[in-house]
Amino acid sequence: MFWVTRRYELSASHRLHAPALSEEENRALYGKCNNPYGHGHNYVLEVSARGPLDPRSGRAVDTNRLDALVRDRVLDAFAHRNLNEQVEVFRTVVPTSENLGVEIFRRLREGWSTAFTGEWPKLAKVRIAETPRNIFEVASDEID
Amino acid sequence: MFWVTRRYELSASHRLHAPALSEEENRALYGKCNNPYGHGHNYVLEVSARGPLDPRSGRAVDTNRLDALVRDRVLDAFAHRNLNEQVEVFRTVVPTSENLGVEIFRRLREGWSTAFTGEWPKLAKVRIAETPRNIFEVASDEID
Amino acid sequence: MFWVTRRYELSASHRLHAPALSEEENRALYGKCNNPYGHGHNYVLEVSARGPLDPRSGRAVDTNRLDALVRDRVLDAFAHRNLNEQVEVFRTVVPTSENLGVEIFRRLREGWSTAFTGEWPKLAKVRIAETPRNIFEVASDEID
Amino acid sequence: MFWVTRRYELSASHRLHAPALSEEENRALYGKCNNPYGHGHNYVLEVSARGPLDPRSGRAVDTNRLDALVRDRVLDAFAHRNLNEQVEVFRTVVPTSENLGVEIFRRLREGWSTAFTGEWPKLAKVRIAETPRNIFEVASDEID
Amino acid sequence: MFWVTRRYELSASHRLHAPALSEEENRALYGKCNNPYGHGHNYVLEVSARGPLDPRSGRAVDTNRLDALVRDRVLDAFAHRNLNEQVEVFRTVVPTSENLGVEIFRRLREGWSTAFTGEWPKLAKVRIAETPRNIFEVASDEID
Amino acid sequence: MFWVTRRYELSASHRLHAPALSEEENRALYGKCNNPYGHGHNYVLEVSARGPLDPRSGRAVDTNRLDALVRDRVLDAFAHRNLNEQVEVFRTVVPTSENLGVEIFRRLREGWSTAFTGEWPKLAKVRIAETPRNIFEVASDEID
């Protein structure tokens, strides 16, 4: 199997605040990231797909299709947005990078079979670097 | 003269919107960055000071003093904040990286003589990378 | 004055070979870069413009116009190309990064007054990193 | 087990063109990378080996031996070259990064037992970044 | 499972010298790194923990706790130090990055159950980049 | 004029301690960097030369000559060394990055006229990044 990873950048803002928790608990849990006015990041998103080599093309993944899928399902919806206010799911789910990874994974899987009609490639991993010091990865096993 | 540059990172959110302009003009001018809900960045701030070598210490700038000045005047006020809502000047001034640079320059110059009591070092340049592809620099000549 | 710098990446191939010189001289001068079959790079191009702050927009440079100019005059012509074979000037001029910088400068200056109709901003500097270890800069003074 | 990874850079040119396919199919499949004159990249190659700690040296891999093997089998043959024209296998195989990874893996495995005479370390993974946005990995399982 | 990785930087000096070996063997084995006066690095340390999503916080790892653990057990003891002279274990163990990884792993595991009281997250991997070209990883399986 | 910059990396150790000052003054001035056992860095050295284009070669600087000069005068003497103990001048001069820059500048200037026999290129600037956050530059004007 080959792993093919594409890197994308998206600038967005968010606020970490769990509706189920009190103000005090939120402040204790998220610190500065709980700031009511929100803050933002240049998220670096890496999407990895895996598959065997297609002997015809010498490639494992059609990266044009992958780029189009990521653009349509993720970048167009998230880039230059306020995640809490402008991405439906994050009205009720805290937009931590973990939850962001799950949502991106869900959106890509939803469109996957349209973008890639064969058995391969498969979506393998979503990696989000909120900053270069703070990195989150979720693989296909988690998402079910 | 030596140039000493320190790099800092700060995550914040902003919205580009000029009060003097119409909605249409703002959209045309700032595009996605005019999104009413705002978006954000991991700003990379570089502050450069210049001065001669202090033969006693073998240094041109006391970087502990510079770090403390940047922390007190800039990072504590801007990091993890919504610039439009939480930094006074940006209620009326558009928080472009150019204006952000001017404001940072002003704040550092304001505290400079307290942090550095001698003739040297002097504040030389403020550089802001909104993203790795989008870089803004302002030198002392502009700020008056 | 403010400096605004935009970063672009372009992958291209080239061969360093000076027609005026003998094979031996070319090999001595350019070493491996004289390989007749050529080789290539992910060039990192940085274009810097300088100008005063436009109080209306809070910006010194309309980066949309700059990006369009660089795309139309440089990226569309150079990216994914063989510079020696597919960029007219490099049929006779050696495509060193110095000459590449001069050509890019010329092309940008040529279109500048159409892209930027006012006195400002001015094209200030072109920087080319052939690799992260090998960097070339040319400022407006050289190009005349 | 420990993983030890060494990073190398090599500048080369290539053209993506599958002999079995028509011009139209090639253009559709590879887009700009099908340009007949070729283009190039600064490839970033990472070679990973795994093994237990050698208590005598406190190391898992003799990196001098690994560097020599990579230099002799890969860098000397690929760096500053036109892959299609100057690396035998790519006269008939499309030099995609997937195929480049397979070929590098084959070459390293071929010389491995001469460079490393014991049971360990084993060649574990070859990773190629064609650009920072476009990354290919192949592990030992694929190569047989 | 989610993987959460935090990146830390620490500057330290070391000398590679195996007490069990002769001067000649040490020189042959470690080359310049055997220099009796030592040399140093800006080590980039990445610590990865894995665990399920905590639905209450939307996070898999409390990064404040992880940062505090790494600071208390590793950074305070290693940063700006001479590893051979100032970290007890390296008086007898060669401070290769492999052994450095093992020691960091041991220190983190030692404090883990105090920092993280539940079943999850678990310490998953320690990655040390001695330089950007020279990378060492050790996972939980090795450390027993 | 063109600026040509070459980047080099060197790992070394140092201790910041001014002989003229008391222990207390040294600790206050240099903090952790005064640690008697020393610490180390992966220094990133950038050497910039400037000159006009040589129409014959299409280059402004013969980078092979520059690399050889830097290797002979600087890298061979500093890399994998303890600067305080193994570089003569730093037995009496504090090896701050400012003084390191001055010494590198002196060494390069000393060998310059042998490496570059014409009027151009001239040594323009030495830049040292002790870490990515801590950058020192010295230009030709300072060194006299």
Side-chain angles (χ1 to χ4, degrees):
Chain A
M1 285 301 143
F2 289 81
W3 280 68
V4 176
T5 297
R6 301 283 284 180
R7 172 177 294 185
Y8 311 92
E9 286 157 15
L10 69 110
S11 299
S13 61
H14 72 162
R15 178 203 182 188
L16 298 188
H17 185 273
L21 306 179
S22 71
E23 291 304 323
E24 290 66 21
E25 290 173 305
N26 270 291
R27 268 194 296 278
L29 190 57
Y30 301 118
K32 288 177 161 183
C33 301
N34 183 237
N35 164 25
Y37 297 94
H39 63 287
H41 298 292
N42 301 327
Y43 291 95
V44 176
L45 167 66
E46 291 185 359
V47 176
S48 298
R50 43 190 286 281
L53 199 63
D54 166 3
R56 181 170 157 292
S57 67
R59 306 198 307 186
V61 176
D62 181 331
T63 51
N64 292 330
R65 289 174 180 279
L66 181 54
D67 289 352
L69 177 63
V70 173
R71 189 191 60 242
D72 297 346
R73 301 275 174 154
V74 179
L75 300 182
D76 287 351
F78 291 12
H80 287 84
R81 301 297 176 89
N82 175 316
L83 299 177
N84 306 60
E85 301 291 338
Q86 300 183 278
V87 179
E88 188 55 29
V89 63
F90 297 125
R91 297 187 165 284
T92 51
V93 170
V94 199
T96 56
S97 287
E98 286 91 334
N99 281 331
L100 192 53
V102 172
E103 177 62 14
I104 290 172
F105 213 114
R106 290 216 176 95
R107 286 167 174 253
L108 293 178
R109 205 175 41 182
E110 212 175 84
W112 199 263
S113 58
T114 315
F116 299 100
T117 52
E119 185 196 357
W120 295 100
K122 295 187 190 306
L123 178 58
K125 196 170 78 175
V126 166
R127 181 185 188 275
I128 295 172
E130 194 176 279
T131 74
R133 305 178 145 24
N134 204 20
I135 298 161
F136 303 84
E137 294 173 281
V138 54
S140 36
D141 63 353
E142 178 65 10
I143 310 301
D144 292 311
Chain B
M1 284 300 143
F2 289 80
W3 281 67
V4 176
T5 298
R6 301 282 284 181
R7 172 176 294 185
Y8 311 91
E9 286 156 15
L10 69 110
S11 299
S13 61
H14 74 161
R15 180 205 181 186
L16 298 188
H17 185 273
L21 306 179
S22 71
E23 291 304 324
E24 289 66 21
E25 291 173 305
N26 270 292
R27 267 193 297 279
L29 190 57
Y30 301 118
K32 287 178 164 183
C33 301
N34 184 236
N35 164 24
Y37 297 95
H39 64 288
H41 298 292
N42 302 328
Y43 291 95
V44 175
L45 167 66
E46 291 185 359
V47 176
S48 298
R50 44 189 283 281
L53 199 63
D54 166 1
R56 182 171 156 291
S57 68
R59 305 198 306 186
V61 176
D62 181 331
T63 50
N64 293 329
R65 289 174 180 279
L66 181 55
D67 289 352
L69 177 64
V70 173
R71 188 190 60 242
D72 297 347
R73 302 273 176 155
V74 178
L75 301 182
D76 287 352
F78 291 12
H80 287 82
R81 300 296 176 91
N82 175 318
L83 299 177
N84 305 59
E85 301 291 337
Q86 299 182 279
V87 179
E88 188 54 30
V89 63
F90 297 125
R91 296 186 166 284
T92 51
V93 171
V94 198
T96 56
S97 287
E98 287 92 334
N99 280 331
L100 192 53
V102 172
E103 176 63 13
I104 290 171
F105 213 113
R106 290 215 175 96
R107 287 168 175 253
L108 294 178
R109 206 177 38 182
E110 213 175 81
W112 200 264
S113 59
T114 315
F116 299 100
T117 52
E119 186 196 355
W120 296 101
K122 296 188 191 305
L123 178 58
K125 197 170 77 175
V126 166
R127 179 185 190 275
I128 294 172
E130 194 175 280
T131 73
R133 301 176 148 27
N134 205 19
I135 298 160
F136 303 85
E137 292 174 284
V138 54
S140 35
D141 63 353
E142 177 66 10
I143 309 300
D144 293 310
Chain C
M1 284 301 143
F2 289 80
W3 280 67
V4 176
T5 298
R6 300 283 285 181
R7 172 175 293 185
Y8 311 92
E9 287 157 15
L10 68 110
S11 299
S13 61
H14 72 163
R15 180 205 181 186
L16 298 188
H17 185 271
L21 306 179
S22 71
E23 292 304 323
E24 289 67 18
E25 291 173 306
N26 270 290
R27 267 194 298 280
L29 191 57
Y30 301 118
K32 289 176 161 183
C33 302
N34 183 237
N35 165 24
Y37 296 95
H39 65 288
H41 298 292
N42 302 328
Y43 291 96
V44 176
L45 167 67
E46 290 185 359
V47 176
S48 298
R50 44 188 283 281
L53 198 64
D54 167 1
R56 183 169 154 291
S57 67
R59 306 198 306 186
V61 176
D62 181 333
T63 51
N64 293 329
R65 290 175 178 278
L66 182 54
D67 289 352
L69 177 64
V70 173
R71 188 191 60 241
D72 297 347
R73 302 274 175 153
V74 179
L75 301 182
D76 287 351
F78 290 14
H80 287 84
R81 300 296 177 89
N82 175 316
L83 299 177
N84 305 61
E85 301 292 336
Q86 299 182 278
V87 180
E88 189 55 31
V89 64
F90 296 125
R91 296 185 165 285
T92 51
V93 171
V94 199
T96 57
S97 287
E98 287 91 334
N99 280 330
L100 192 53
V102 172
E103 177 62 15
I104 290 171
F105 213 113
R106 289 215 176 96
R107 287 168 175 252
L108 293 178
R109 208 177 35 183
E110 214 174 79
W112 199 263
S113 58
T114 316
F116 299 100
T117 52
E119 187 196 355
W120 297 101
K122 295 187 190 306
L123 178 57
K125 198 170 75 174
V126 167
R127 180 186 190 275
I128 295 171
E130 195 175 278
T131 73
R133 305 180 143 24
N134 204 21
I135 298 160
F136 303 84
E137 293 174 283
V138 54
S140 37
D141 64 351
E142 178 65 10
I143 309 300
D144 293 310
Chain D
M1 285 299 143
F2 289 81
W3 280 68
V4 176
T5 298
R6 300 283 284 182
R7 171 177 294 185
Y8 311 91
E9 287 157 15
L10 68 110
S11 299
S13 60
H14 73 162
R15 179 203 182 188
L16 298 188
H17 186 271
L21 306 179
S22 71
E23 291 304 325
E24 288 66 20
E25 290 172 307
N26 270 291
R27 268 194 296 280
L29 189 57
Y30 300 120
K32 288 177 161 184
C33 301
N34 183 237
N35 164 25
Y37 297 94
H39 64 288
H41 298 292
N42 302 328
Y43 291 96
V44 176
L45 167 66
E46 291 185 358
V47 176
S48 298
R50 43 190 284 282
L53 199 64
D54 166 3
R56 183 171 156 290
S57 67
R59 305 199 307 186
V61 176
D62 182 331
T63 51
N64 293 329
R65 290 174 179 278
L66 181 54
D67 289 351
L69 177 64
V70 173
R71 188 191 60 241
D72 297 347
R73 302 276 174 151
V74 179
L75 301 182
D76 287 352
F78 290 13
H80 287 83
R81 300 296 177 91
N82 176 315
L83 299 177
N84 306 60
E85 302 290 337
Q86 300 183 278
V87 179
E88 189 54 32
V89 63
F90 296 125
R91 296 186 165 285
T92 51
V93 171
V94 198
T96 56
S97 287
E98 286 91 335
N99 280 331
L100 192 52
V102 172
E103 178 62 14
I104 290 172
F105 214 113
R106 290 217 176 95
R107 286 167 175 252
L108 294 178
R109 206 178 38 183
E110 212 175 83
W112 199 264
S113 58
T114 316
F116 299 100
T117 52
E119 185 196 358
W120 296 101
K122 296 188 189 305
L123 178 57
K125 197 170 78 175
V126 167
R127 180 186 189 275
I128 294 172
E130 195 176 277
T131 73
R133 305 179 145 21
N134 204 19
I135 299 161
F136 303 85
E137 293 174 282
V138 55
S140 36
D141 63 353
E142 178 66 9
I143 311 301
D144 291 308
Chain E
M1 285 300 142
F2 290 80
W3 281 67
V4 176
T5 298
R6 301 283 284 180
R7 173 176 293 185
Y8 311 91
E9 288 158 13
L10 68 111
S11 298
S13 61
H14 72 163
R15 178 204 181 186
L16 298 189
H17 185 272
L21 306 178
S22 71
E23 291 305 323
E24 290 66 21
E25 290 172 306
N26 270 291
R27 268 193 298 279
L29 189 58
Y30 301 119
K32 288 177 162 183
C33 300
N34 183 238
N35 165 25
Y37 297 94
H39 64 288
H41 298 292
N42 303 327
Y43 291 95
V44 176
L45 167 67
E46 291 185 358
V47 176
S48 299
R50 43 189 284 281
L53 199 63
D54 166 2
R56 183 170 155 290
S57 67
R59 307 198 306 187
V61 176
D62 181 332
T63 52
N64 293 329
R65 289 173 180 279
L66 181 54
D67 289 352
L69 177 64
V70 172
R71 189 191 59 242
D72 297 347
R73 302 275 175 155
V74 178
L75 300 182
D76 287 352
F78 290 13
H80 287 84
R81 301 295 177 89
N82 175 317
L83 299 176
N84 305 59
E85 301 292 337
Q86 300 183 278
V87 179
E88 188 54 31
V89 63
F90 297 124
R91 297 186 164 285
T92 51
V93 171
V94 198
T96 56
S97 288
E98 286 92 334
N99 280 330
L100 192 53
V102 172
E103 177 63 13
I104 290 172
F105 213 112
R106 289 217 175 95
R107 287 169 175 251
L108 294 178
R109 205 176 39 183
E110 213 175 82
W112 199 263
S113 58
T114 315
F116 299 100
T117 52
E119 185 195 357
W120 297 100
K122 295 187 190 305
L123 178 57
K125 196 170 78 175
V126 166
R127 180 186 189 275
I128 295 172
E130 196 176 277
T131 73
R133 305 179 145 23
N134 205 19
I135 298 161
F136 303 85
E137 294 174 282
V138 54
S140 37
D141 64 353
E142 178 65 9
I143 310 301
D144 292 309
Chain F
M1 286 300 143
F2 288 81
W3 281 68
V4 176
T5 298
R6 300 283 284 181
R7 172 176 293 186
Y8 311 92
E9 286 157 16
L10 69 110
S11 299
S13 61
H14 72 161
R15 180 205 181 186
L16 298 188
H17 185 272
L21 306 179
S22 71
E23 291 305 323
E24 288 66 20
E25 291 173 306
N26 270 291
R27 267 193 297 278
L29 190 57
Y30 301 118
K32 287 178 162 184
C33 301
N34 184 237
N35 164 25
Y37 297 94
H39 64 287
H41 298 292
N42 302 327
Y43 291 95
V44 176
L45 167 67
E46 291 185 358
V47 176
S48 298
R50 43 189 284 282
L53 199 64
D54 166 2
R56 182 170 156 292
S57 67
R59 305 198 308 185
V61 176
D62 181 332
T63 51
N64 293 329
R65 289 175 179 279
L66 182 54
D67 289 352
L69 177 65
V70 173
R71 188 190 61 242
D72 297 347
R73 302 275 175 152
V74 178
L75 300 181
D76 287 352
F78 290 13
H80 286 85
R81 300 297 176 88
N82 176 317
L83 299 176
N84 305 61
E85 301 291 337
Q86 300 183 277
V87 179
E88 188 54 31
V89 63
F90 297 125
R91 296 186 166 286
T92 51
V93 170
V94 198
T96 56
S97 286
E98 286 92 334
N99 280 330
L100 192 53
V102 172
E103 177 63 14
I104 290 172
F105 214 114
R106 289 217 175 95
R107 287 168 174 252
L108 294 178
R109 207 176 38 182
E110 212 174 81
W112 200 264
S113 58
T114 315
F116 299 100
T117 53
E119 185 196 358
W120 295 101
K122 296 188 190 304
L123 177 58
K125 198 170 76 175
V126 166
R127 180 185 189 275
I128 295 172
E130 195 175 278
T131 74
R133 302 178 148 24
N134 204 20
I135 299 161
F136 303 85
E137 295 174 281
V138 54
S140 36
D141 64 353
E142 177 66 9
I143 309 300
D144 292 309

